[in-house]
Amino acid sequence: MNDIDRLLQNDSFANALLDSLPCGLLVVDEKGRVQAINNILKQVVGVTKQAVLGKGSGDALGCVRASEHPQGCGSEEGCRNCEVRLVAFAALSKNKKQMARANLQLITDGQVRDVTLLFSAVPFTYKNKRFANLIIEDVTKLCLFSLPDVKAGFRGIVGQDQKMKELFDTIKQVARTDAPVLIQGESGTGKELVAVAIHEENSRGHKYFVPVNCGALPEGLIETDLFGHVKGAFTGAIRDKKGRFELADGGTIFLDEVSELSPAMQVKLLRVLQDGCFERVGSEKTVRVNVRVISATNKNLEEELTAGRFRPDLYYRLCVMPIFIFPLRDRLGDVPLLAEHFLALYTEESFGKKVSLSPEALSMLEAYSWPGNVRELENILQFALAKRQGDVIEPEHLPPALHLNISRPFTRRRREPKLQAVDVAAALKKAGGNKRRTAEILGVSRSSLYRFFGRQKSSRKAG
């Protein structure tokens, strides 16, 4: 054992290591209970170790005004816990880093403070137990030089179009129940993202979300994949195996492309929806589960009913809560926001510099009809990132197919005025901190304003 290993096993050294971090830190277990905390968190949100150890991770926020979440959980207890608890559970359930940001009013020592907190949750395993490091940073003073507000969307779904705002409201309403949900929309619109959002908003959010692509599984394997099998049920069945429904017990199962199920499988699925019961392949023992079913399809199921390819009784069981996702061509105003989101995502993953779209390239994207929807936009931007030489994507970096299939003429955008820090600060003050209004006052696009903030932040770091 080396010196570092011996030091790490020393509690006082471990505590000193936690306290040396320049940000608040919690360690939470799988149930969201706080197992460790550093002293910096008291400076950030005004709580002590004694107040939160062993309690729910949301208690780390102290007291938060419930009015800050009028469309959220609806209660002070829920609002106090929602941001911090959900980002921790998301990291544990997805087994990858999760981030969120929230504008809150903290009430500490009788004083009310408006703060912007950044949450970063990273999962890890220690002695076969799963935990998450939850970092809480006060970025209130950095808001002027921040990336686009993470609230420009919902649960990882990016969009500000009115159609998307209505979709977000529908997700929240649907998540209040455990009724089956049928999501319909073209390929590439983000049906699985909507299903995940419903799951995470629901009380089952801390349980498993189990996706199944019904169109990708061979007919001979889908029954055992959904319901499992027992040892000796068929050649190669060398042990008992749980199916997806058993794995999702207490949580949510997502049946993507449900319209591809055969008539025989439709009958078997109908029984599960009726009473939550099924038998593993090769077994006579009935298994009962408590599963929320969310299904999706890019086909028109009513047309499938008319054609006799889908059972009416199954359709009405699945379509208790219907959701329709509009294609990207019906909400082209979200293209700049989505583009900026994907560019930031992929440049961050590759540790590269911030990349932006030229006004001409953005005009081309806004003029396209997007038959492949958001997935196609993501693919095109990955192509452009590989082709571009500098930090700006120009029209020549976009795929040739895009140039050939522009659905309407586009005009080259005028060069926007160069932004000055004093002008931006004055406009931001006049707009009360609203970035959209700030851009309108300055006569520039929001993308240009965000690029300005990014350059300012980079120059501050370099200085």
Side-chain angles (χ1 to χ4, degrees):
M1 182 182 294
N2 58 37
D3 292 340
I4 293 295
D5 289 334
R6 280 192 289 270
L7 282 171
L8 289 174
Q9 291 186 4
N10 184 292
D11 289 343
S12 60
F13 176 79
N15 289 331
L17 187 64
L18 290 177
D19 291 337
S20 70
L21 297 174
C23 52
L25 179 104
L26 299 167
V27 179
V28 301
D29 62 18
E30 249 185 330
K31 294 183 178 179
R33 295 173 302 199
V34 178
Q35 300 300 314
I37 181 176
N38 69 351
N39 285 324
I40 304 299
L41 195 67
K42 184 178 189 303
Q43 301 174 22
V44 178
V45 295
V47 297
T48 61
K49 293 181 180 179
Q50 294 77 11
V52 298
L53 281 178
K55 296 184 179 179
S57 55
D59 290 324
L61 285 183
C63 186
V64 180
R65 285 191 173 179
S67 60
E68 291 302 303
H69 300 269
Q71 296 180 342
C73 53
S75 67
E76 183 174 344
E77 177 65 22
C79 289
R80 180 162 60 244
N81 286 270
C82 62
E83 298 290 349
V84 64
R85 177 175 56 82
L86 291 174
V87 74
F89 277 132
L92 288 165
S93 63
K94 297 179 181 179
N95 198 32
K96 65 179 182 180
K97 178 181 176 181
Q98 298 292 311
M99 298 182 70
R101 195 178 75 184
N103 298 316
L104 303 170
Q105 284 190 319
L106 287 180
I107 306 173
T108 54
D109 300 325
Q111 301 294 317
V112 179
R113 294 187 297 131
D114 291 307
V115 297
T116 300
L117 299 181
L118 180 66
F119 306 110
S120 304
V122 182
F124 69 95
T125 301
Y126 177 70
K127 292 186 177 179
N128 296 321
K129 294 183 179 180
R130 300 178 68 239
F131 300 89
N133 280 330
L134 185 59
I135 298 169
I136 303 179
E137 300 175 84
D138 186 347
V139 295
T140 309
K141 296 179 180 179
L142 301 178
C143 284
L144 177 62
F145 308 105
S146 62
L147 289 173
D149 195 341
V150 295
K151 295 298 183 184
F154 178 74
R155 293 283 183 187
I157 309 170
V158 178
Q160 286 185 326
D161 184 272
Q162 184 58 35
K163 296 182 179 67
M164 296 304 292
K165 291 179 180 178
E166 292 172 1
L167 173 64
F168 301 153
D169 288 341
T170 301
I171 290 172
K172 294 172 186 176
Q173 293 162 5
V174 166
R176 295 172 189 162
T177 77
D178 283 337
V181 179
L182 176 62
I183 305 170
Q184 297 188 79
E186 295 180 7
S187 179
T189 50
K191 294 186 288 294
E192 184 166 350
L193 284 176
V194 171
V196 171
I198 295 171
H199 169 73
E200 292 181 344
E201 278 288 293
N202 186 260
S203 59
R204 299 171 181 264
H206 63 289
K207 296 289 186 177
Y208 286 111
F209 175 87
V210 181
V212 182
N213 189 326
C214 300
L217 293 171
E219 177 61 29
L221 294 179
I222 190 166
E223 182 176 1
T224 182
D225 190 78
L226 289 177
F227 306 124
H229 63 252
V230 296
K231 181 179 178 181
F234 50 84
T235 303
I238 58 175
R239 59 179 177 82
D240 291 355
K241 175 191 172 185
K242 289 185 178 181
R244 301 290 182 97
F245 271 95
E246 280 186 84
L247 294 174
D249 191 18
T252 303
I253 190 167
F254 174 56
L255 303 176
D256 197 10
E257 303 306 337
V258 70
S259 58
E260 302 301 318
L261 290 174
S262 68
M265 282 307 303
Q266 290 180 34
V267 174
K268 293 180 182 294
L269 179 59
L270 182 63
R271 183 192 172 195
V272 182
L273 290 171
Q274 287 173 334
D275 55 22
C277 295
F278 60 89
E279 289 81 34
R280 292 183 183 179
V281 175
S283 173
E284 296 179 353
K285 181 181 178 181
T286 298
V287 178
R288 183 180 294 275
V289 293
N290 178 9
V291 175
R292 204 254 175 93
V293 177
I294 301 177
S295 53
T297 179
N298 58 16
K299 292 183 178 180
N300 186 322
L301 277 191
E302 292 183 355
E303 293 180 357
E304 296 295 298
L305 290 177
T306 304
R309 291 187 291 266
F310 204 83
R311 294 179 61 94
D313 48 2
L314 178 57
Y315 171 75
Y316 293 116
R317 285 283 183 180
L318 293 174
C319 194
V320 177
M321 308 286 283
I323 291 180
F324 178 76
I325 307 177
F326 283 92
L328 185 55
R329 62 180 172 274
D330 288 346
R331 53 184 186 97
L332 290 173
D334 280 341
V335 168
L337 190 65
L338 285 162
E340 191 157 13
H341 167 75
F342 287 128
L343 290 176
L345 176 66
Y346 288 114
T347 52
E348 180 184 350
E349 286 182 354
S350 59
F351 303 100
K353 294 182 179 179
K354 183 175 175 61
V355 177
S356 60
L357 287 161
S358 72
E360 293 80 9
L362 182 55
S363 289
M364 289 188 66
L365 296 182
E366 292 176 323
Y368 187 51
S369 62
W370 299 109
N373 292 294
V374 179
R375 185 182 296 126
E376 184 181 12
L377 173 61
E378 182 178 5
N379 293 344
I380 282 176
L381 291 173
Q382 285 183 286
F383 177 93
L385 281 170
K387 291 279 289 184
R388 64 95 169 90
Q389 301 298 318
D391 297 336
V392 179
I393 292 175
E394 299 289 353
E396 57 266 27
H397 301 140
L398 299 175
L402 186 69
H403 292 261
L404 297 173
N405 292 284
I406 297 296
S407 61
R408 55 184 170 85
F410 71 95
T411 56
R412 292 187 177 271
R413 295 189 171 194
R414 62 179 175 82
R415 288 290 178 182
E416 294 179 331
K418 186 175 180 179
L419 295 175
Q420 302 295 331
V422 63
D423 296 330
V424 173
L428 194 65
K429 183 178 180 180
K430 185 176 180 180
N434 185 298
K435 294 186 178 68
R436 175 185 292 180
R437 178 62 185 144
T438 300
E440 292 175 355
I441 293 172
L442 294 168
V444 300
S445 67
R446 278 179 292 161
S447 296
S448 295
L449 184 62
Y450 290 137
R451 284 195 292 271
F452 170 81
F453 289 155
R455 289 194 297 272
Q456 292 290 313
K457 186 175 181 180
S458 299
S459 63
R460 285 163 62 94
K461 285 183 177 180

